[in-house]
Amino acid sequence: MIYAVWVPLLMPFLAVPAARRLADALSPVRAVRLLAATGIGLALCSVLALVLLVVPGATRFSAVSAVGELVRPLSDSAPAVTVSLAVAALALLVGCAAAVARAARRHWAELCRAGRFDGRAAGELAVLRDSRPDAYALPGRPGTPGRIVVTTGMLRALDPAERDALLAHERAHLVGRHHLFIAAAEAAALCHPALRSLRAPMGYALERCADEAAASAVGDRRIAARAIGRAALAARAAEGAPQPRPRVALAAAAGPVPRRVAALLGRNTARPRVGRAAAAALLACLVVSGAAALDATSDLHSSIEAAQGESAHH
């Protein structure tokens, strides 16, 4: 177990380079699904590895050994090393649990506050009287619809066809529940520092999903590209500080807009082989991490049975 248990903690560092290439190389929907599965899977495996590091050190204490009916510790390593590893792993687990709990509470509170805005609402669309151009998708709580929030300044900055494309983009965020993927990426990042690098590819892939949905809705990729580009330019050229968006909001003008426009116009130079290689690398990292975690768990279980067998023998 001493070797296998470290693999899930090291594997996220190897997954990051492949994840950065994935968003441009695969279709947006596949990229989102693979990034979400990889992030959550690697995070769970790393948490399990920390738990497995705690158990051998904990058996050095008589109270824990008595509960497990053990006559000897599970590890033959020096007590100072085993206990130190267990204390460090336990501290990391407590820190991760506290951080994830705080993030979950904050996310829920922001969803509860999401419907509180000053503006005219007509169904899913809420218009804010603000000369500064802005537009974003504001998800609702489970069981409640989200809203598309757009300012009067943004409506004036676009022509009717571009407005339709922009609203279709934001609607795709709501229909796809994209904020849940962002929340999953945030939670994974809190469980392992290397997984923080998955948030940018995930955000980009989600915006590309909405871009493609907008292009399909208006039936013209050039209109969708023009709407995204003009919305971003208008937002950046506006005078004065923009009104802060809720953290759970997703906006069409966010992220690397030039890359997104180029992808809509068919100027993406990524090759399918790159996408397949990146996807294979991520899946390999996930499979190796899971297999190592299962191997370490099986080894620990065998050690516990062996220690309990000795007590029965006596």
Side-chain angles (χ1 to χ4, degrees), residues 222-304:
R222 295 185 66 85
I223 291 177
R226 192 170 69 239
I228 293 165
R230 289 188 65 181
L233 289 174
R236 293 173 186 175
E239 296 181 357
Q243 185 177 1
R245 300 174 186 145
R247 288 174 57 92
V248 293
L250 294 102
V257 173
R259 283 172 60 197
R260 293 165 50 200
V261 170
L264 277 172
L265 297 178
R267 298 171 186 166
N268 195 331
T269 58
R271 293 171 295 180
R273 289 183 181 179
V274 176
R276 289 193 293 269
L282 279 183
L283 289 174
C285 289
L286 186 58
V287 169
V288 170
S289 183
L294 290 176
D295 182 58
T297 303
S298 177
D299 191 17
L300 178 63
H301 183 262
S302 299
S303 299
I304 292 174

Side-chain angles (χ1 to χ4, degrees), residues 105-140:
R105 286 197 303 268
R106 183 178 66 247
H107 185 78
W108 179 256
E110 288 167 352
L111 287 178
C112 291
R113 292 194 299 266
R116 302 173 190 170
F117 54 86
D118 298 324
R120 294 181 288 110
E124 67 175 0
L125 181 62
V127 179
L128 294 178
R129 293 187 178 278
D130 193 334
S131 61
R132 291 165 298 193
D134 199 9
Y136 52 87
L138 200 59

Side-chain angles (χ1 to χ4, degrees), residues 16-36:
V16 168
R20 289 173 178 164
R21 288 179 166 268
L22 191 72
D24 270 325
L26 282 185
S27 69
V29 173
R30 290 181 179 177
V32 166
R33 292 174 180 172
L34 186 53
L35 287 170

Side-chain angles (χ1 to χ4, degrees), residues 8-209:
L9 298 175
L10 297 175
M11 201 55 62
F13 293 101
L14 300 179
V16 168
R20 289 173 178 164
R21 288 179 166 268
L22 191 72
D24 270 325
L26 282 185
S27 69
V29 173
R30 290 181 179 177
V32 166
R33 292 174 180 172
L34 186 53
L35 287 170
T38 301
I40 294 172
L42 291 178
L44 291 176
C45 289
S46 64
V47 168
L48 177 57
L50 291 176
V51 172
L52 296 176
L53 285 173
V54 170
V55 176
T59 61
R60 294 286 180 177
F61 299 94
S62 57
V64 177
S65 296
V67 171
E69 299 180 352
L70 307 177
V71 295
R72 64 177 180 84
L74 299 181
S75 175
D76 295 330
S77 302
V81 174
T82 306
V83 173
S84 297
L85 281 175
V87 170
L90 182 61
L92 290 173
L93 283 172
V94 171
C96 289
V100 170
R102 285 195 301 269
R105 286 197 303 268
R106 183 178 66 247
H107 185 78
W108 179 256
E110 288 167 352
L111 287 178
C112 291
R113 292 194 299 266
R116 302 173 190 170
F117 54 86
D118 298 324
R120 294 181 288 110
E124 67 175 0
L125 181 62
V127 179
L128 294 178
R129 293 187 178 278
D130 193 334
S131 61
R132 291 165 298 193
D134 199 9
Y136 52 87
L138 200 59
R141 290 175 295 174
T144 61
R147 290 190 184 276
I148 300 171
V149 180
V150 62
T151 65
T152 52
M154 182 63 81
L155 292 177
R156 285 194 295 267
L158 306 178
D159 64 34
E162 292 166 352
R163 290 176 205 157
D164 290 342
L166 182 68
L167 296 180
H169 175 103
E170 304 301 352
R171 187 176 297 111
H173 283 316
L174 296 179
V175 173
R177 308 291 287 175
H178 289 173
H179 69 287
L180 296 180
F181 290 97
I182 294 293
E186 293 287 345
L190 293 173
C191 294
H192 196 291
L195 296 177
R196 296 173 186 170
S197 298
L198 295 183
R199 292 182 295 190
M202 173 67 81
Y204 173 74
L206 289 172
E207 292 300 331
R208 286 282 300 116
C209 285

